[in-house]
Amino acid sequence: MENEMTAGAAAVPKKNKEVTTAFKWFHATSVNGGAMLIAAVIASFFSVYMTDTLKIPAAACSMIMFVATLWDAINDPMMGVIADRTHTKWGRYRPYFIAAPILLTLFSTLLWIDWGFSTTGKIIYILVVYVGYGMTVTMYTMPQVAILPACVKNNQQRNMIITMGAGVCACAFTIGNTFTPQITGFFQGIGLSNGYVPLMLICGVFAFISFWGLFGTSKERYLQPVEKGTAFRDMKLVLKHKELFPNIIAWIMASMGYGMMFSTSVYYMKYYYMRPDLISAYMGVISIGALVSMVVLMPIVLKICKTGQKALIVSQVASIICYVILFFFGKSSFTFLCVVTFISSCFSAMQNALVNVLVNDSIDYIQYKEGLSANGVISSIKGFAQKCGNTVVSSGILAVLSASGYIAEAIGGQPESTMFALNFLKFGAPSLTGIILIICVFFNPVEKYSAEIEEMKSKME
């Protein structure tokens, strides 16, 4: 246990110098850099690739995404428990950063390879590879989230690193959403039949740099020993605190709201707006709005609101107003659609970063209540909640389209039921999830114990 508590540790500097600049950037660019660029490409283009390129029926695609993302959600708590109970000379969470980029590059590349299988063969192949990709994401996401409070105890430092990661995430999404057609087209223009494969390999290189850099610069200082016992003892200790349930629901709603708006964008422009030639331009508007949100607007909102909880509420209120306007008037003109979408993205994109503040709050709360460092468990609960939201989004969109009578490649020929479904999925559903999220944030328990938690952390030198 002594190795775990002191691995890589040096004398703790002043609290505003707890970690190096290199750690901050490697933490910010690990999950949010090359890995997020891969995730952005998959989120934006993989469903369309399955239905329109591989010619897999929408109902079968929905089944693939449901099974894969549901298992992805289930194995999150398992990974959190495993991470908290990992004992190596490098610490609890750091070892997972070594294997992360290797598996990530492998599975993300295999996703885009068409081996010429039959439809049934394609369904089985995509399911297996997508499950492998999801498990890899779980393997590195839980330790990456858990290691931040293990290395940094100062809330301002934590929020700054989260903000840096949000900015990197926005840049990755801007590139992935806006320029993927051009990048893949370039590779096809030089003789490669599938431009997604080299794109995944390039993203993998960036993932290697950031994850291995995070391994080399992280030092796990602020951890309590994990007592022996059953693997799910810590899970029970955490979940018995019903005060944290609103946070769990908020994580689900944040994942569903932005994911629903984002993942339907290609379908929306191609079939509802009937302008596939404007997909790149529209995705660019969303991505640039997200970039402005993370890099410019989020730090301002945090400064004005003082806390992540209040900033999260502000972002949701503004997003809902924009979504309602677009639901009724989005088709009036492309310029109007882009302007209001840009404003909505400026506020909605920051929610996925701001909910991470609730993770650190929950970790501090459990450490105060139970004297337990359950960083991995709580990170995994957040991951489980997020993946539940992802499951609803990824499989739900395809299921709704299938039920509404969606016809692949039928631009201008979709039934009215499909047209309504696309508009509702794009703007109506995110409005509803935003309202639920706002209600949940009001019940966050940490503010009540903020003084006691700060006193606890001051004794953790």
Side-chain angles (χ1 to χ4, degrees), residues 65 69 72 252 255-256 385-395:
M65 302 306 283
T69 53
D72 198 17
I252 296 174
S255 175
M256 285 181 59
Q386 182 179 5
K387 299 295 176 56
C388 286
N390 290 344
T391 300
V392 175
V393 170
S394 59
S395 63

Side-chain angles (χ1 to χ4, degrees), residues 195-268:
Y196 287 105
V197 171
L199 176 57
M200 293 297 102
L201 294 174
I202 292 171
C203 295
V205 172
F206 290 114
F208 271 94
I209 295 171
S210 57
F211 276 110
W212 287 0
L214 180 59
F215 171 82
T217 57
S218 54
K219 299 175 182 178
E220 300 174 6
R221 295 187 177 104
Y222 309 117
L223 290 173
Q224 298 293 338
V226 176
E227 298 178 7
K228 294 181 179 180
T230 62
F232 290 96
R233 178 188 66 91
D234 295 351
M235 187 73 69
K236 292 178 181 178
L237 286 176
V238 171
L239 292 178
K240 78 177 184 181
H241 293 277
K242 296 180 180 179
E243 300 93 335
L244 295 182
F245 287 6
N247 285 359
I248 297 174
I249 298 173
W251 294 328
I252 296 174
M253 293 300 107
S255 175
M256 285 181 59
Y258 189 76
M260 198 76 71
M261 183 280 298
F262 180 81
S263 297
T264 55
S265 296
V266 173
Y267 283 111
Y268 181 85

Side-chain angles (χ1 to χ4, degrees), residues 27-340:
H27 189 278
T29 58
S30 53
V31 169
N32 296 303
M36 187 58 66
L37 183 53
I38 290 172
V41 175
I42 292 173
S44 298
F45 299 99
F46 190 63
S47 290
V48 179
Y49 176 79
M50 285 193 294
T51 57
D52 294 5
T53 301
L54 297 180
K55 303 300 182 183
I56 299 175
C61 293
S62 174
M63 181 276 296
I64 291 172
M65 302 306 283
F66 177 79
V67 173
T69 53
L70 180 62
W71 168 244
D72 198 17
I74 292 171
N75 65 47
D76 270 23
M78 297 166 59
M79 184 64 217
V81 171
I82 292 170
D84 276 342
R85 282 171 161 72
T86 297
H87 303 288
T88 74
K89 64 180 180 181
W90 299 297
R92 296 184 194 178
Y93 311 118
R94 295 173 66 225
Y96 296 99
F97 304 142
I98 298 176
I102 301 172
L103 296 175
L104 175 65
T105 305
L106 173 65
F107 285 114
S108 63
T109 302
L110 290 175
L111 270 178
W112 301 96
I113 297 178
D114 182 1
W115 300 98
F117 297 142
S118 64
T119 299
T120 302
K122 289 177 182 178
I123 293 172
I124 296 172
Y125 172 77
I126 292 296
L127 176 61
V128 171
V129 177
Y130 199 87
V131 166
Y133 167 75
M135 293 182 68
T136 300
V137 173
T138 298
M139 183 196 70
Y140 64 69
T141 301
M142 299 303 102
Q144 192 263 2
V145 174
I147 204 168
L148 180 57
C151 294
V152 184
K153 69 176 179 179
N154 181 269
N155 283 336
Q156 290 183 336
Q157 288 278 304
R158 291 178 182 177
N159 290 345
M160 182 190 70
I161 295 171
I162 290 173
T163 303
M164 289 171 64
V168 175
C169 175
C171 291
F173 260 86
T174 300
I175 296 171
N177 300 333
T178 309
F179 300 110
T180 291
Q182 289 78 12
I183 296 172
T184 55
F186 167 78
F187 287 119
Q188 290 172 342
I190 61 175
L192 298 177
S193 60
N194 188 337
Y196 287 105
V197 171
L199 176 57
M200 293 297 102
L201 294 174
I202 292 171
C203 295
V205 172
F206 290 114
F208 271 94
I209 295 171
S210 57
F211 276 110
W212 287 0
L214 180 59
F215 171 82
T217 57
S218 54
K219 299 175 182 178
E220 300 174 6
R221 295 187 177 104
Y222 309 117
L223 290 173
Q224 298 293 338
V226 176
E227 298 178 7
K228 294 181 179 180
T230 62
F232 290 96
R233 178 188 66 91
D234 295 351
M235 187 73 69
K236 292 178 181 178
L237 286 176
V238 171
L239 292 178
K240 78 177 184 181
H241 293 277
K242 296 180 180 179
E243 300 93 335
L244 295 182
F245 287 6
N247 285 359
I248 297 174
I249 298 173
W251 294 328
I252 296 174
M253 293 300 107
S255 175
M256 285 181 59
Y258 189 76
M260 198 76 71
M261 183 280 298
F262 180 81
S263 297
T264 55
S265 296
V266 173
Y267 283 111
Y268 181 85
M269 287 306 301
K270 189 173 183 178
Y271 298 111
Y272 185 82
Y273 224 84
M274 293 178 282
R275 292 294 303 272
D277 56 308
L278 295 177
I279 290 175
S280 292
Y282 185 64
M283 297 300 286
V285 169
I286 296 175
S287 300
I288 294 172
L291 184 63
V292 172
S293 174
M294 302 295 195
V295 177
V296 179
L297 193 58
M298 180 175 158
I300 295 174
V301 173
L302 273 172
K303 186 174 182 179
I304 294 173
C305 295
K306 307 298 184 184
T307 67
Q309 294 90 336
K310 292 179 181 178
L312 190 54
I313 292 173
V314 169
S315 75
Q316 290 306 293
V317 171
S319 300
I320 291 169
I321 293 172
C322 292
Y323 290 154
V324 172
I325 293 173
L326 289 170
F327 179 80
F328 290 104
F329 306 108
K331 209 173 182 180
S332 57
S333 78
F334 184 66
T335 301
F336 179 80
L337 174 67
C338 287
V339 170
V340 183

Side-chain angles (χ1 to χ4, degrees), residues 155 241-251 307-313 354-366 369 378 382 436-451 453:
N155 283 336
H241 293 277
K242 296 180 180 179
E243 300 93 335
L244 295 182
F245 287 6
N247 285 359
I248 297 174
I249 298 173
W251 294 328
T307 67
Q309 294 90 336
K310 292 179 181 178
L312 190 54
I313 292 173
L354 289 172
V355 292
N356 286 328
V357 173
L358 302 180
V359 177
N360 293 324
D361 287 347
S362 300
I363 289 172
D364 291 340
Y365 176 79
I366 291 299
K369 283 289 188 177
I378 294 173
K382 187 264 184 180
I436 298 172
L437 195 154
I438 290 171
I439 295 172
C440 290
V441 173
F442 274 116
F443 292 95
N444 182 278
V446 176
E447 286 296 321
K448 180 180 178 181
Y449 301 96
S450 59
I453 290 173

